[in-house]
């Protein structure tokens, strides 16, 4: 709900409200838990000090006005000056803007548009605030329009500048590296700035764009609908204000805005909640309803089997078909042929760009895919379309397609270069190549990989300061055309694991490969960090071999499944090596997963415990009608002599009576109790002989897990 009442502008969602005042300048007066009205709003305004100074909560900060802090918008004019004086002009309720070339949220028709003008230069700044009532999210789209006669260089232009009263906040970020993504870090914000940013061209495994600003009782979660270099920072100062800023990273950013042109910053989203949990729940709703789109949005995602960790590059047609046969026998629904099926790809040193069948190896991809389908499975394929190997036909024919700087030896990563997707010709090549692959093997699923960082950025027709962003626009243009052309295909985005897990990619591809680290112990941390911002249906999670390929830890099949069922389930190992007993266990797991799939993928998620505290961690996901729930608890170690490890659940229907049971490796269930949701949400419950019952005989460094199922028996009669 958007309202304009004189100089006051109100945004309301189901549980939050925001009040902005526009009067010469514009400022936030309130953002938090929903209030019934804004009587007393005058009193929210900042004080005017003896020297005439005011310190409002700003919607943006600009250069040249004596502001002591970094501006969120900064430009250089043709005369070499930097100062702007954007003044508030007016507020209107308008149709939501279309962000040229950028992914954005959908599902709300109107925005509150606030216009600001720098009169001398006729540079116009517009902020469009949209309220997504059902998910308690507010988004901002920011634009800069050059109404003057000379070009203007945009040096930085944040998408969102959120400012709140108080300097007692902490700043939470989700950081990591390859195979160690999105680990939560929280630090108190003291005076000064704390940054979370990416400098490698993609949103990165190092610092996810999702961040939290929190204190007891107030938490603000912010994310950016963008997959390139981003920067968030939080800053507190002596004026007792704290700001949280997000947008394109100004690093190597210098965008020339010609007269009449508009620059669109990526859309940013903010969510308020009283706790981290509330923010996560609201973010999940926002992502599920307003980011993920297309045929697969609400559809249960298939259980897949992928051959990568089972074979790496070393496979034959026969091997693939044998794995697929086992997959079909176990009840999987999709087989995914990973890296190694194209060009002459027997290692990672060649063939990227040659998206043609490696027929000597596959025995003919088309017929291989047909044979897989004849087993009752769908066929999916891996591709890494943004890359080029120097040892490839494509490179020999079109060396100019590679991202390189003349007379410089390019940086190689995983032996590969990137394609210069800024160039429309290269975009066309990628679009055609991927289309051909999908059509050739009638793929029902595509894993779109991206396995390096961006370096050697150069395009002869592009200004250097525009390259990183223009690359993203090129990529978005290609993938938007592809998802439009193949609306039935399920796309999963991947970037050396989860290095591009962001809202930009999720606008096109409904799921993301969470991490190349498939160790159950590590995954509890990675998945729980990821789930702060992204729902279960977006997280690819696979059961792989034990000992684990990345860490050497070994775990029971049951534990590996219990952790992987927290996302979109897959298996990624050489299933031909599984014995009958293991296959039976997998069959039972897949049958269980399918039965509870709608809850596991689309239920309301609550984090339980915290994987980082070394104690226990886990989640519960609850059917939207409250009728059932699944919870997985993971305990990292058995501390000899330590007793009474207890778990608390959350989010169950307080008035409903549930029967609770836990699942054994063979698929049978052990009844635990019948209890009302109110009790289950508050009590501290025993883990049911977790240690003695988990099979760890052949495990090293095992993780102990327990999967509980809750089924509603009846609803408690309301007292009359
Ligand atoms: C990346 C992906 C893996 C796998 C390999 C193939 O690392 O994250 O899942 O597809 O590439 O080369």
């Amino acid at each position: 709900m958007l309202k304009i009442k004189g100089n006051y502008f109100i945004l309301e969602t189901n549980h939050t409200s925001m009040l902005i005042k526009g009067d010469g300048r514009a400022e936030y007066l309130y953002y938090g838990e929903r209030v019934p009205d804004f009587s007393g709003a005058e009193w929210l305004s900042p004080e005017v000090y003896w020297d005439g100074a005011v310190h409002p909560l700003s919607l943006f900060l600009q250069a040249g006005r004596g502001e002591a802090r970094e501006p969120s918008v900064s430009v250089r004019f043709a005369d070499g000056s930097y100062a702007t004086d954007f003044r508030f002009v007016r507020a209107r309720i308008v149709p939501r803007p279309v962000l040229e070339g950028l992914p954005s949220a959908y599902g709300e028709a109107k925005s509150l548009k606030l216009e600001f003008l720098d009169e001398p230069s006729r540079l116009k700044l517009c902020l469009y605030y949209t309220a997504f009532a059902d998910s308690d999210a507010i988004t901002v789209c920011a634009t800069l329009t050059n109404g003057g006669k000379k070009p203007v260089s945009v040096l930085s232009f944040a998408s969102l500048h959120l400012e709140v009263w108080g300097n007692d906040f902490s700043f939470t970020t989700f950081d990591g590296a390859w195979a160690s993504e999105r680990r939560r870090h929280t630090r108190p914000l003291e005076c000064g700035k704390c940054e979370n940013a990416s400098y490698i061209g993609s949103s990165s495994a190092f610092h996810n764009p999702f961040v939290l600003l929190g204190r007891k009782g107030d938490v603000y979660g912010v994310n950016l609908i963008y997959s390139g270099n981003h920067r968030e920072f939080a800053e507190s100062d002596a004026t007792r204000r704290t700001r949280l800023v997000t947008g394109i990273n100004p690093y190597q950013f210098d965008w020339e805005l010609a007269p009449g042109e508009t620059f669109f910053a990526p859309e940013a989203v903010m969510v308020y909640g009283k706790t981290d949990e509330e923010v996560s729940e609201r973010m999940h709703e926002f992502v599920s309803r307003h980011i993920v789109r297309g045929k697969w949005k609400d559809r249960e995602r298939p259980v897949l089997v992928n051959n990568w960790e089972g074979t790496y590059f070393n496979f034959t047609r026969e091997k693939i078909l044998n794995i697929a046969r086992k997959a079909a026998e176990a009840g999987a629904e999709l087989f995914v042929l990973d890296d190694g099926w194209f060009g002459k790809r027997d290692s990672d040193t060649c063939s990227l760009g040659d998206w043609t069948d490696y027929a000597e190896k596959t025995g003919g991809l088309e017929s291989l895919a047909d044979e897989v389908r004849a087993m009752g499975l769908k066929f999916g394929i891996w591709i890494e379309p943004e890359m080029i190997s120097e040892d490839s036909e494509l490179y020999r024919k079109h060396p100019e397609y590679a991202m390189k700087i003349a007379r410089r030896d390019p940086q190689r990563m995983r032996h590969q270069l990137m394609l210069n997707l800024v160039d429309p010709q290269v975009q066309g090549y990628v679009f055609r190549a991927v289309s051909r692959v999908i059509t050739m093997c009638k793929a029902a699923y595509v894993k779109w990989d991206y396995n390096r960082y961006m370096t050697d950025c150069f395009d002869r027709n592009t200004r250097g300061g525009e390259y990183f962003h223009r690359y993203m626009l090129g990529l978005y243009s290609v993938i938007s055309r592809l998802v439009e052309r193949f609306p039935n295909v399920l796309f999963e985005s991947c970037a050396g694991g989860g290095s591009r897990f962001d809202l930009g990619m999720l606008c096109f591809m409904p799921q993301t490969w969470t991490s190349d680290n498939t160790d159950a112990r590590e995954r509890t941390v990675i998945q729980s960090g990821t789930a702060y911002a992204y729902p279960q249906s977006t997280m690819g999670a696979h059961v792989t071999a034990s000992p684990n390929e990345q860490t050497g830890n070994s775990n029971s099949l049951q534990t590996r499944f219990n952790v992987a069922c927290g996302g979109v389930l897959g298996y990624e190992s050489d299933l031909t090596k599984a014995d009958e007993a293991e296959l039976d266990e997998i069959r039972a797991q897949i049958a269980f997963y399918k039965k509870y799939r709608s809850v596991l993928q689309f239920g309301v998620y609550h984090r339980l415990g915290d994987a980082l505290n070394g104690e226990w961690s886990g989640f519960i996901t609850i059917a939207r009608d409250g009728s059932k729930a699944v919870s997985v608890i993971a305990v990292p170690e058995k501390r000899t002599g330590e007793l009474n490890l207890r778990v608390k659940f959350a989010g169950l229907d307080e008035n409903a009576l549930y029967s609770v049971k836990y699942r054994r490796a063979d698929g049978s269930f052990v009844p635990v109790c019948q209890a009302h949701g109110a009790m289950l949400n508050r009590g501290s419950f025993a883990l049911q002989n977790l240690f003695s019952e988990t099979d760890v005989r052949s495990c090293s460094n095992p993780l102990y897990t327990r999967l509980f199922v809750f089924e509603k028996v009846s609803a408690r009669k309301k007292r009359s």
Side-chain angles (χ1 to χ4, degrees), residues 178 181 306 308-309 312-313 338-340 342 345 348 352 382-384 414 416 447 449-451 494-499 513 515-518 542 572:
W178 171 76
E181 298 88 341
N306 175 310
W308 177 245
E309 281 199 24
Y312 296 110
F313 295 106
D338 211 280
D339 197 351
F342 54 92
R345 182 86 162 170
D348 58 11
L352 293 169
W382 176 96
I383 187 163
E384 198 182 355
R414 211 192 184 200
Q416 65 204 48
K447 177 176 171 190
D449 212 339
Y450 171 90
N451 280 321
C494 173
S499 298
W513 178 226
S515 174
D516 275 350
N517 191 337
T518 55
H542 298 175
E572 192 175 323

Side-chain angles (χ1 to χ4, degrees), residues 60-63 67-74 156 161 193 195 231 233 235 243 245 250:
F60 59 87
L61 285 192
Q62 56 187 318
E67 175 60 60
R69 300 171 296 167
E70 179 184 329
S72 63
V73 49
S74 119
S156 73
H161 187 278
K193 227 193 273 175
E195 182 192 90
R231 183 172 70 137
F233 65 84
E235 183 175 21
R243 63 180 182 146
V245 182

Side-chain angles (χ1 to χ4, degrees), residues 150-163:
K150 297 206 170 130
V152 174
S153 301
V154 183
L155 304 176
S156 73
F157 187 36
S159 298
L160 165 66
H161 187 278
L162 174 65
E163 199 159 21

Side-chain angles (χ1 to χ4, degrees), residues 406-425:
R407 294 184 303 281
R408 278 184 194 279
D409 189 30
Q411 181 80 27
R412 293 166 188 89
M413 290 184 201
R414 211 192 184 200
H415 315 283
Q416 65 204 48
L417 303 180
M418 287 187 64
L419 285 173
N420 173 22
L421 266 189
V422 167
D423 181 347
Q425 220 184 322

Side-chain angles (χ1 to χ4, degrees), residues 203-225:
S203 53
S204 95
F206 300 111
H207 305 287
N208 193 266
F210 176 71
V211 296
L212 292 164
L213 189 64
R215 64 181 171 193
K216 202 167 176 350
D218 290 308
V219 184
Y220 301 89
V222 161
N223 208 343
L224 193 64
I225 307 177

Side-chain angles (χ1 to χ4, degrees), residues 16-34:
T16 67
S17 341
M18 176 181 276
L19 179 65
I20 296 174
K21 187 179 174 193
D23 188 5
R25 63 170 189 260
E27 64 196 277
Y28 296 107
L29 291 185
Y30 178 84
Y31 181 33
E33 189 73 359
R34 186 163 166 166

